Amino acid sequence: MNTRTRVLTGTALAVALGAGTFGAVSASAAQNETVPAVAAKKDGQPDEKNFTTTTHLTIDAATRAAQAALEAAQKENQKVTVAVVDRGGNTIVTLRGDGAGPQSYESAQRKAYTAVSWNAPTSVLAGRLAQAPNLKDIPGTLFLGGGTPVQAKGAPVAGIGVAGAPSGDLDEKYAKAGADSLDK
């Protein structure tokens, strides 16, 4: 082994051992701590002012919406990818249609993330770039038509992004078909 390889191997080993030791110390410290009690009312039930309830799109609903968007595109002979993300921008499901371009996978996810983040279709958001061009610099976003939010009681709970059609208008049309399928 040459000197550089030995140094890199030794450094990697030291980092791994250090991380393992830190994890063990953290885990044992956590075991000795007392867990704070949940704020409770007199009846022993949690105090509701300390908690919030959120609505999430189920995996089944996300899959149905993605499939509906993909089918809408296929009816018009478009090769697209569809991504559905949750309120936090985490991917729930992605369907890459036969023949969809390699760039469409990431683009669909970023459009979905952008739509749910601002609770607006990405075509509307793309229009806002004239007034605020720095919006495009936010990591993970894509300000092109093709993303639409999914709402429950007026609040965003998911985003659907479609990429791969020849225009953002078509991509967004298919994303909307996916969102509309959830109302049925």
Side-chain angles (χ1 to χ4, degrees):
M1 240 191 249
N2 67 30
T3 304
R4 181 179 174 167
T5 304
R6 285 194 305 250
V7 169
L8 289 174
T9 303
T11 302
L13 183 58
V15 168
L17 287 173
T21 301
F22 176 75
V25 171
S26 295
S28 63
Q31 291 172 353
N32 294 330
E33 293 177 11
T34 58
V35 178
V38 174
K41 297 185 286 185
K42 291 178 186 172
D43 63 1
Q45 295 299 314
D47 188 351
E48 296 300 321
K49 70 181 178 185
N50 293 319
F51 300 93
T52 185
T53 302
T54 60
T55 302
H56 300 277
L57 197 62
T58 65
I59 184 74
D60 290 337
T63 302
R64 282 194 322 272
Q67 189 64 47
L70 186 61
E71 287 172 2
Q74 288 172 336
K75 284 180 186 174
E76 296 182 7
N77 295 316
Q78 298 301 320
K79 297 169 180 12
V80 300
T81 297
V82 181
V84 181
V85 301
D86 66 13
R87 177 64 181 112
N90 302 299
T91 303
I92 302 171
V93 65
T94 302
L95 297 179
R96 186 170 179 268
D98 293 336
Q103 80 290 352
S104 65
Y105 191 87
E106 182 179 352
S107 297
Q109 288 177 324
R110 291 175 59 192
K111 288 178 183 184
Y113 174 77
T114 305
V116 74
S117 295
W118 277 275
N119 193 23
T122 53
S123 60
V124 170
L125 297 170
R128 294 182 189 170
L129 288 178
Q131 294 84 23
N134 291 347
L135 281 178
K136 70 182 181 331
D137 298 333
I138 297 172
T141 59
L142 186 58
F143 292 88
L144 297 174
T148 192
V150 175
Q151 299 178 347
K153 299 179 184 173
V157 296
I160 300 174
V162 176
S167 74
D169 291 341
L170 285 174
D171 285 339
E172 199 158 304
K173 174 182 167 182
Y174 307 139
K176 183 150 178 25
D180 290 346
S181 75
L182 296 171
D183 294 333
K184 296 177 181 173

